[in-house]
Amino acid sequence: MKQILLITDGCSNVGLSPVVAAAHAQSDGISVNVVGVLDHGDVGELGAAEIDEIARAGGGLSRMVNMRQLSQTVQMMTRKTVVQTIQLAVQKELKHVLGNGSIEALPPEKRGDVVRVIDELGETSSLQVALLIDASASMKPKLAAVEEAIRDLMLSLQARQGKSEISVFHFPGSRHGDDCVMDLDWTSHLNGVHAIFPKLQMGGTTPTGPAIMQIVDFYRKGAYGRQSRDETDGMMSDYVV
């Protein structure tokens, strides 16, 4: 399973709409989660609406949180999106087999079996999470909280039974508005996280949509995790409902 986790505090202002980019990601089987990080103020109505729309178009979740809540929220959203992805695949399989896509419509004993399978798949399925960090100037005071959230997320993923990997990107790639830059390639280890933030040059435009598309292309070109949506939809094939 593949996810993009966008951490931001403002509105995009350059290039392709991030909502359109998130829809492209979902069509490639990549869920897009968005965390809006609050400080003493807020991201405003436009920013909050955009955050919600990006997540909806990307088949993911959105949350507005303060810095103290960021670490817990990032972990929760990552795991919840895994379960949500599996549930959708299960419901599609149920509809194909039984003509009914609702887990709640199953008899209680069968429903319990399905929930058990969902929980098991949530822990054992391979997972990749690409973190996309807004490096605009207003995010600078929040970077310590972002770094802590990344560390805690990696520790949480290491506790799963399935293979889990994380990569880290920031945008813009330069003050001239380049899309985004990879800071950490796919890894299952904490090594290298501490080196990301000291070298970030904060400021510039906010090309959220182009940055999302760059990560979609990164996923497309990657050798690991190139599981198609058809394969994901068939994840229940080894189980009998």
Side-chain angles (χ1 to χ4, degrees):
M1 282 181 286
K2 297 171 282 188
Q3 294 185 24
I4 294 172
L5 177 53
L6 169 63
I7 302 176
T8 184
D9 70 346
C11 298
S12 62
N13 56 22
V14 175
L16 178 72
S17 160
V19 177
V20 172
H24 278 292
Q26 189 188 36
S27 71
D28 270 32
I30 306 165
S31 300
V32 183
N33 294 324
V34 191
V35 181
V37 187
L38 307 175
D39 196 349
H40 300 296
D42 57 46
V43 299
E45 287 186 20
L46 289 176
E50 181 179 87
I51 285 168
D52 181 61
E53 290 170 7
I54 293 170
R56 253 190 292 150
L61 305 171
S62 66
R63 292 288 186 277
M64 306 295 296
V65 301
N66 60 44
M67 288 185 286
R68 293 187 305 275
Q69 300 169 311
L70 180 61
S71 181
Q72 181 180 1
T73 302
V74 163
Q75 294 178 62
M76 177 275 295
M77 290 176 69
T78 299
R79 294 221 171 207
K80 194 167 183 179
T81 303
V82 169
V83 173
Q84 178 177 284
T85 301
I86 293 169
Q87 284 177 335
L88 290 173
V90 168
Q91 288 171 353
K92 183 171 182 179
E93 191 77 8
L94 286 173
K95 189 170 185 179
H96 176 72
V97 174
L98 304 176
N100 190 327
S102 172
I103 295 173
E104 289 73 19
L106 293 170
E109 64 278 7
K110 294 295 185 183
R111 193 183 316 150
D113 290 341
V114 171
V115 171
R116 175 185 57 79
V117 168
I118 289 173
D119 289 342
E120 180 181 332
L121 287 171
E123 281 300 308
T124 59
S125 299
S126 295
L127 173 64
Q128 287 184 307
V129 182
L131 274 88
L132 179 57
I133 301 167
D134 179 351
S136 58
S138 59
M139 280 290 289
K140 192 168 186 176
K142 305 167 187 177
L143 283 185
V146 174
E147 182 173 4
E148 180 183 356
I150 293 174
R151 289 178 175 276
D152 288 349
L153 174 60
M154 293 186 76
L155 290 171
S156 173
L157 294 181
Q158 286 171 357
R160 298 177 70 249
Q161 296 177 40
K163 182 174 184 178
S164 302
E165 291 187 311
I166 191 171
S167 60
V168 182
F169 299 77
H170 77 270
F171 69 97
S174 73
R175 292 183 182 274
H176 304 293
D178 296 338
D179 296 347
C180 74
V181 171
M182 177 195 287
D183 300 296
L184 188 65
D185 204 346
W186 292 120
T187 181
S188 301
H189 307 288
L190 287 168
N191 301 340
V193 173
H194 68 280
I196 295 172
F197 296 94
K199 66 184 181 183
L200 284 187
Q201 298 295 315
M202 311 297 291
T205 56
T206 312
T208 311
I212 291 173
M213 285 306 304
Q214 189 164 322
I215 296 181
V216 171
D217 289 339
F218 175 68
Y219 266 119
R220 288 171 177 166
K221 295 171 183 175
Y224 169 76
R226 298 180 66 178
Q227 185 183 39
S228 70
R229 279 175 293 150
D230 291 339
E231 289 171 324
T232 305
D233 293 341
M235 65 170 63
M236 286 290 291
S237 59
D238 294 333
Y239 295 90
V240 178
V241 177

